Amino acid sequence: MASKSFKASRSDLSSASSDVLDSQNGKPPLPPHVTFARRTSSGRYTNYSRDDLDSELGNSEFLNYTVHMPSTPDNQPNNNSTNNPNVSQKVEEQYVSSSLFTGGFNSMTRAHLMDKVIDSDTTHPQMAGAKGSSCAINGCDGKVMSDERGNDILPCECDFKICRDCYVDVVKTGDGVCPGCKELYKSADVDELTENWRSSLPQLPPPPSSGMSRRLSLMKSTKSMLVRSQTGDFDQNRWLFETKGTYGYGNAIWPKEGDFDNSKDGNSIEHSDLVNKPWRPLTRKLKIPAAIISPYRLLVVVRLVVLGFFLTWRIQHPNTDAVWLWGMSVVCEIWFAFSWILDQLPKLCPINRATDLNVLKEKFEMPTPGNPTGKSDLPGVDIFVSTADPEKEPPLVTANTILSILAADYPVEKLACYVSDDGGALLTFEAMAEAASFANLWVPFCRKHGIEPRNPDSYFSLKKDPYKNKVLGDFVKDRRRVKREYDEFKVRINGLPDSIRRRSDAYHAREELKAMKEQRQKRDDEPLEIIKIKKATWMADGTHWPGTWLTTASEHSKGDHAGIIQVMLKPPSDEPLNGTSEDSRVDLNDVDIRLPMLVYVSREKRPGYDHNKKAGAMNALVRASAIMSNGAFILNLDCDHYIYNSQAMREGMCFMMDRGGDRLCYVQFPQRFEGIDPSDRYANRNTVFFDGNMRALDGLQGPVYVGTGCLFRRVALYGFDPPRSKERSSGFCCFGRKRKNHSAIAAAEENRALRMGDSDDEEMNLSLAPKMFGNSNQLIDSIPVAEFQGRPLADHPSVKNGRPPGALTIPRDLLDASTVAEAISVISCWYEDKTEWGQRVGWIYGSVTEDVVTGYRMHNRGWKSVYCVTKRDAFRGTAPINLTDRLHQVLRWATGSVEIFFSRNNAILASSKMKILQRVAYLNVGIYPFTSVFLIVYCFLPALSLFSGQFIVQTLDVTFLVYLLLITITLCGLAVLEVKWSGIELEEWWRNEQFWLIGGTSAHLAAVFQGLLKVVAGVEISFTLTSKSGGDDDEDEFADLYIVKWTSLMIPPIVIMMVNLIAIAVGLSRTIYSVIPQWSRLLGGVFFSFWVLVHLYPFAKGLMGRRGRTPTIVFVWSGLIAIIISLLWVAINPPQGSNQIGGSFQFP
């Protein structure tokens, strides 16, 4: 065990940049401050001076240590091949990938070298803690050089194991004598031993001096490590970004002056090959057939007119016998009409979209004049997976999501996965390590046999024939082997809690025995005192876990722990790495065994800081990923939402890389769920919203962001305006118009953002970058690079703001310790202080529905979004099928909407860049919970009508019945046509209507009161995570559906049902025994009471549970409510005469 330390503070997050600049100017860099540290078995760090280390080398207890010495004036890399920078960078990357980085506020950033991450062995060369040989030199615990397959590279025939640093020292100072056999090395050239480590790309010639001053301005002014390497060599990545040069066969294709220079007139490309070649779009719009959409729009107009006449008639014809009843009903009906208009208007322009993956492959992954090598030219994608509590979000579910991501059909070298563990739990950490280890087998198996879905749990649970369309003869054998390995993997994951607890208890007992032994040695005759040692949580390598302990302690609890970053899988090599037949488990010949980069991140948490829940965790990932991989696009997933379609990211990339795609802020995919009961009792699938409302919004400015399954453009999250924002403005209805946006100058401060250049002649405005993004130079310097990589391909004159073909075929930079140390700094709890993170940058704070607010801010700046519905579901997840969990989920959503309504994110305050109907849609998002107030009153009106013997109208005349019939017919007609163009089923539409009333009378009403309490009294709202675990009955897949857990949200629907049932009985009895029966009033009241009860039927069925499991509290409340209503009835209308009760009803 060893550790490396980095001094970090807010003022010098990029302290290494000055040394780099000095080396570029011909000055030797200043000797960096080197801190020697050792992590002891108890988890403490001990710092030593050089003299202390020399004196301790003879002690066996201090035999294992590592000192990383950066380049200094007395340790300069030579120009010969012995110190090739590519080799040294890969050596450091191997060190970084096996180190656990920790740090935070007022603390040192440390890199703790992990001997092993999990108890089981790891063999994949990209895996952190992969099994490898240690250097045999006494006092050195460095790893032996290895190739990309993990095989040791040994320079001597005696196979003496030596690390690269020791080997270089022997060659330079030891006359090239092997320390093992004492023979001279036959070859003193490291290149012959590490030829697989070398970069295959040729060195580019220096750029020409003419016309390059503007393009190189950023390179000259920046202080980032991205500018040049430590040796001062030319940086190909920066040159490609600045000059838009492309690779050819061994040389560079220099564009002519003015080529790829997107001018405002659009005539930017003059290359004959591009102009003459037929251009094919990546996506196309599929309009709804006129036979469906035209009658639909006509019915909307008809129903709007009918509602207008009906409300006018209702106001002009009051019920003089019961004005109070008439007044309440008219107010409710006016609000319902207003709410229906807000919901219906954005549905006037629904569209469908289709993608062409073959064109995407042809443009970005086939040899072209701009990309003659045919390497993938697709931009990088960083995938975020968020989790917070391993008890409510089982690690096995998260691990399966990670495995589906690692096996996705996207260029491996362009993919990076970041797991945010907001709880800092060792259980999640080791579960992710186990998933990375199992991916060594699962991912190549998926690639070899084209497995779908690539979530192992879902794949092995498929009920269809798994051998259908499988052509390889060894599929049965491979599947059987992988299934057995997966079963063992599940056992290891499920056994991790007990394993961690037993390990921690064992180490704790050892520490106590050690302390008692020391006490006996110090006090021979004195009585021993009881020693209390904090019960820590221990990692597999025998050191303290820096995150949350099982037994909470200071600096080791959920709200108080250091920031942690562990590279579980280091970045893969740029070239494919095929497997061999030596693996006895699965034959992987001609199968790429590389794995995408996988990083575990747990941001720092300290008392006294507002960490902003999920939004804060997402912003921490945005900053860390920008420094480590800087993918131009970000895909965020919940831990229980896995990739069901391995080509989902390619589908989304078709929209981003198509003409005009640079103005898209995100691509939203629909949410699909598994484990829902066949009848979908509580409308968990929510198909009316995902297939109806979202398709309709796609015809406007784009769908809203729903929290998961969304592919973001990174620069849109940074708060930039879209490119060419000067040319565009909002249009009326669903049609945009291009005109000068004169009102943008006078926009409110909260609506302003950093603006992207409209062409290459106008660079991005980064003058406000430190105030917006913080003082990390590497983070700020990554912004223009991400913007350039996210541009569409400039393969046609009509493509504006494009990038040249082949610009993204170069490999990504190798990870070094300073990069990960910078990432640790930007996830610290203090980093966001006095910045715009959470205000205008990243995920927006201040609401429990941060997803809707974040999408709203992007649309408010003029960005567009699209809705991508794939033939095969892109992602699938789980939803709570239990009634109580479902109500709490709806409560959280509705509370967030109320917060939006009372905040500056109210659509009424939107800028002119947002389209009118898009503004109406966002306004409806903030208003819909308030409908619950009128809905609950309207649900009591039938009962009040039956109790009082009155009705909402004076008499049931023909006019009222005709209006009622027309409104019902138009409603049914709209439902049928909406089912047609959205593709949902009529039963799903009806379930949605039922749960609309259930949620409106329970969760929505509570959300209104909670929102008002927060606005008026400042009472903060806290919510717990929805449990992803199932019921206790393992034999029933839907056991959770029948579990009844009492919640106060159930009280209003229960009261409504009981009151209406009693009212029907009272009204029927009065009418039967009355002298002059009023059947019309009875029918009106009974009809509407029956309408209420039919909508509440799923709720009543959920209360009954299964096999008599209804809670006692339900019967208590039901009886109590019945008694109270009966007493109130007797009190309001007492008996008249001898034995008369209510009206003319008499006992026999």
Side-chain angles (χ1 to χ4, degrees), residues 128 319 343 429 629 648 684 712 737 799 828:
N319 184 358
D343 181 68
F429 177 84
S629 56
N684 292 96
F712 283 99
R737 295 182 299 177
V799 178
S828 299

Side-chain angles (χ1 to χ4, degrees), residues 426-493:
L426 179 60
L427 175 58
T428 305
F429 177 84
E430 295 199 0
M432 296 306 98
E434 289 283 0
S437 178
F438 179 69
N440 184 28
L441 176 65
W442 172 251
V443 174
F445 169 71
C446 293
R447 291 172 182 163
K448 179 180 179 181
H449 298 288
I451 300 300
E452 293 285 355
R454 299 192 175 183
N455 176 329
D457 188 68
S458 298
Y459 171 70
F460 291 120
S461 301
L462 290 177
K463 297 180 179 179
K464 65 179 183 179
D465 183 11
Y467 308 110
K468 187 177 181 180
N469 300 328
K470 302 302 179 186
V471 296
L472 296 181
D474 56 352
F475 171 72
V476 176
K477 181 189 69 174
D478 291 349
R479 186 180 187 275
R480 189 180 300 118
R481 176 69 186 188
V482 174
K483 177 65 167 63
R484 184 165 59 251
E485 293 286 342
Y486 178 66
D487 290 338
E488 296 176 0
F489 165 76
K490 288 198 296 184
V491 171
R492 291 196 302 271
I493 292 289

Side-chain angles (χ1 to χ4, degrees), residues 146-202:
S146 59
D147 56 19
E148 291 174 342
R149 299 182 183 277
N151 300 322
D152 292 341
I153 299 178
L154 304 176
C156 185
E157 294 180 353
C158 70
D159 292 340
F160 181 80
K161 297 179 179 180
I162 186 172
C163 67
R164 181 189 178 278
D165 293 333
C166 292
Y167 175 72
V168 172
D169 291 339
V170 169
V171 172
K172 293 173 62 176
T173 63
D175 298 328
V177 177
C178 174
C181 63
K182 308 302 180 183
E183 298 276 340
L184 287 173
Y185 285 120
K186 292 186 176 180
S187 174
D189 189 359
V190 181
D191 293 339
E192 296 181 6
L193 305 173
T194 58
E195 58 182 350
N196 291 330
W197 292 23
R198 293 185 177 278
S199 175
S200 60
L201 292 175

Side-chain angles (χ1 to χ4, degrees), residues 890-1137:
V890 174
L891 172 63
R892 182 172 62 85
W893 295 343
T895 304
S897 295
V898 176
E899 291 175 340
I900 292 173
F901 182 80
F902 288 111
S903 69
R904 66 178 183 179
N905 298 310
N906 192 316
I908 298 176
L909 307 177
S911 68
S912 59
K913 297 179 181 180
M914 184 177 290
K915 293 184 178 180
I916 299 298
L917 291 187
Q918 188 79 16
R919 187 179 304 193
V920 172
Y922 274 113
L923 183 62
N924 186 41
V925 170
I927 282 182
Y928 82 88
F930 295 95
T931 304
S932 61
V933 178
F934 303 92
L935 182 61
I936 200 167
V937 172
Y938 209 74
C939 287
F940 279 112
L941 285 182
L944 295 175
S945 174
L946 291 171
F947 282 136
S948 63
Q950 302 295 329
F951 195 52
I952 58 176
V953 293
Q954 190 78 33
T955 58
L956 290 177
D957 56 6
V958 178
T959 305
F960 177 77
L961 294 177
V962 169
Y963 277 128
L964 192 62
L965 182 63
L966 288 175
I967 291 174
T968 304
I969 291 175
T970 53
L971 175 64
C972 295
L974 286 174
V976 172
L977 291 175
E978 188 170 332
V979 163
K980 286 286 187 181
W981 63 254
S982 63
I984 63 178
E985 297 180 0
L986 195 59
E987 182 184 3
E988 295 174 330
W989 178 86
W990 171 239
R991 290 297 185 199
N992 183 78
E993 291 295 310
Q994 287 180 311
F995 196 78
W996 170 76
L997 191 141
I998 295 172
T1001 55
S1002 57
H1004 294 177
L1005 186 65
V1008 172
F1009 286 112
Q1010 286 188 351
L1012 290 176
L1013 281 175
K1014 181 178 180 180
V1015 173
V1016 176
V1019 178
E1020 288 296 329
I1021 305 169
S1022 61
F1023 291 93
T1024 57
L1025 288 173
T1026 303
S1027 177
K1028 272 64 173 188
S1029 58
D1032 297 332
D1033 192 350
D1034 296 332
E1035 298 179 357
D1036 191 348
E1037 183 182 358
F1038 309 115
D1040 218 21
L1041 178 68
Y1042 308 106
I1043 298 177
V1044 181
K1045 296 178 287 187
W1046 176 255
T1047 174
S1048 58
L1049 296 178
M1050 295 179 178
I1051 296 177
I1054 290 177
V1055 173
I1056 291 174
M1057 286 192 301
M1058 295 300 300
V1059 169
N1060 278 275
L1061 287 173
I1062 295 173
I1064 291 175
V1066 171
L1068 186 62
S1069 300
R1070 177 195 295 110
T1071 304
I1072 291 176
Y1073 292 101
S1074 63
V1075 178
I1076 304 176
Q1078 298 289 333
W1079 292 104
S1080 61
R1081 295 181 178 179
L1082 174 67
L1083 291 176
V1086 170
F1087 173 80
F1088 284 107
S1089 290
F1090 182 74
W1091 175 85
V1092 172
L1093 293 174
V1094 167
H1095 279 76
L1096 289 174
Y1097 173 73
F1099 177 83
K1101 194 174 180 181
L1103 287 181
M1104 299 307 295
R1106 183 179 59 176
R1107 294 190 294 273
R1109 296 183 180 179
T1110 306
T1112 306
I1113 189 67
V1114 174
F1115 296 105
V1116 173
W1117 270 102
S1118 301
L1120 183 62
I1121 291 171
I1123 294 173
I1124 292 174
I1125 293 175
S1126 300
L1127 293 175
L1128 286 175
W1129 172 250
V1130 173
I1132 294 174
N1133 197 353
Q1136 298 177 0

